[in-house]
Amino acid sequence: MKVTNSNFFSSALAKPTSLMWLGLGAVLAILFIELALRVLAGDTMAFDRNIILAMRNPADLSDPLGPYWFEELMRDITALGGTGILSFITLFTVMYLYLQKHRHMAFLVAVMIVSGMICSSLLKYGFSRPRPDLVPHGSYVYTSSFPSGHSMMSALVYITLAAIYARSQFRRSLKLLIMASALLVVASIGLSRVYLGVHWPSDVLAGWCAGSIWALMSYRLVRYGQKRGKLTF
């Protein structure tokens, strides 16, 4: 059967290649490295300060912009990226996969997320960036600032699980809904960290990059296993 150029290009556009995934991962890695270097050099401080202050009442920096209910909503959203919530989601997902006889998938998901948590902790320890001191914190914090653990781990957990679940769906609209919902949650969590004054914006950007890299690697491992019949879902 002869394959025309039009069929070849339409097929390439319809199904991302390994080279495209590798390119995306490289871009995210470069962005993270660039952010890390600029943070270490202090080049992001003006940008970080301006963004945080723009979210505060100029007459009272302890007062975030918006009504009280919106501030409480931001606390609710930021909790979605906390260690407790993400641990429960991971535990229940792994248990579900295990009970559904997808034991290799359950093990892989557990390893991917736990290793991501370890990586997040090591990065924080390595950079040891102090938390913002411009405004009172709207949420209790006890670790260093760079990269944002909430942003990194929410990107890893929600995007990875959404991508795996979306892959099991047949309707394109459902796939898009699942991925869009995960991205919206991840974006909201990161923005809530800046709004509450517990992270510099550059922390959040770096966290998104690192978490997305980990999610991308995790998804590629899942696809690799599925193509070889080692993983089912």
Side-chain angles (χ1 to χ4, degrees):
M1 179 178 176
K2 185 178 180 180
V3 180
T4 64
N5 289 336
S6 60
N7 288 336
F8 172 79
F9 286 115
S10 62
S11 177
L13 290 173
K15 187 175 182 180
T17 64
S18 297
L19 185 61
M20 291 172 62
W21 289 114
L22 182 61
L24 177 58
V27 169
L28 291 171
I30 291 171
L31 288 174
F32 178 85
I33 293 171
E34 181 68 17
L35 278 168
L37 292 176
R38 289 186 176 275
V39 165
L40 291 174
D43 295 341
T44 64
M45 191 53 65
F47 165 78
D48 287 333
R49 290 173 60 91
N50 289 337
I51 296 297
I52 288 183
L53 293 178
M55 294 183 174
R56 296 281 162 158
N57 181 352
D60 182 7
L61 295 182
S62 66
D63 179 27
L65 294 178
Y68 290 121
W69 66 263
F70 185 76
E71 185 176 349
E72 190 63 25
L73 175 63
M74 288 295 101
R75 291 194 183 93
D76 291 340
I77 290 175
T78 209
L80 295 175
T83 302
I85 297 297
L86 295 180
S87 296
F88 277 127
I89 291 174
T90 301
L91 177 61
F92 296 149
T93 300
V94 170
M95 290 176 61
Y96 170 80
L97 291 172
Y98 185 84
L99 293 175
Q100 288 291 323
K101 309 300 182 182
H102 304 305
R103 295 178 180 177
H104 290 95
M105 180 73 82
F107 176 76
L108 182 58
V109 168
V111 169
M112 291 185 302
I113 294 177
V114 171
S115 62
M117 289 181 176
I118 295 173
C119 180
S120 176
S121 298
L122 291 175
L123 286 172
K124 281 179 171 291
Y125 178 79
F127 285 98
S128 298
R129 188 187 194 188
R131 294 278 180 165
D133 55 1
L134 293 176
V135 298
H137 294 168
S139 177
Y140 178 73
V141 290
Y142 52 89
T143 59
S144 56
S145 195
F146 185 92
S148 166
H150 277 63
S151 300
M152 178 176 174
M153 291 310 304
S154 64
L156 167 57
V157 173
Y158 290 118
I159 294 177
T160 298
L161 297 184
I164 293 173
Y165 184 60
R167 186 165 170 78
S168 69
Q169 304 300 309
F170 295 101
R171 293 173 56 187
R172 185 178 179 83
S173 58
L174 287 178
K175 293 177 183 286
L176 292 175
L177 175 62
I178 292 169
M179 292 307 303
S181 299
L183 292 174
L184 178 60
V185 170
V186 171
S188 299
I189 290 171
L191 292 175
S192 73
R193 303 304 285 169
V194 180
Y195 180 84
L196 295 173
V198 295
H199 270 297
W200 302 106
S202 54
D203 298 335
V204 171
L205 292 174
W208 282 337
C209 289
S212 297
I213 292 171
W214 215 269
L216 182 59
M217 291 191 301
S218 301
Y219 179 64
R220 292 301 298 170
L221 282 174
V222 169
R223 288 196 63 184
Y224 180 84
Q226 287 179 326
K227 285 181 178 180
R228 279 150 183 77
K230 301 296 184 181
L231 297 174
T232 58
F233 181 57

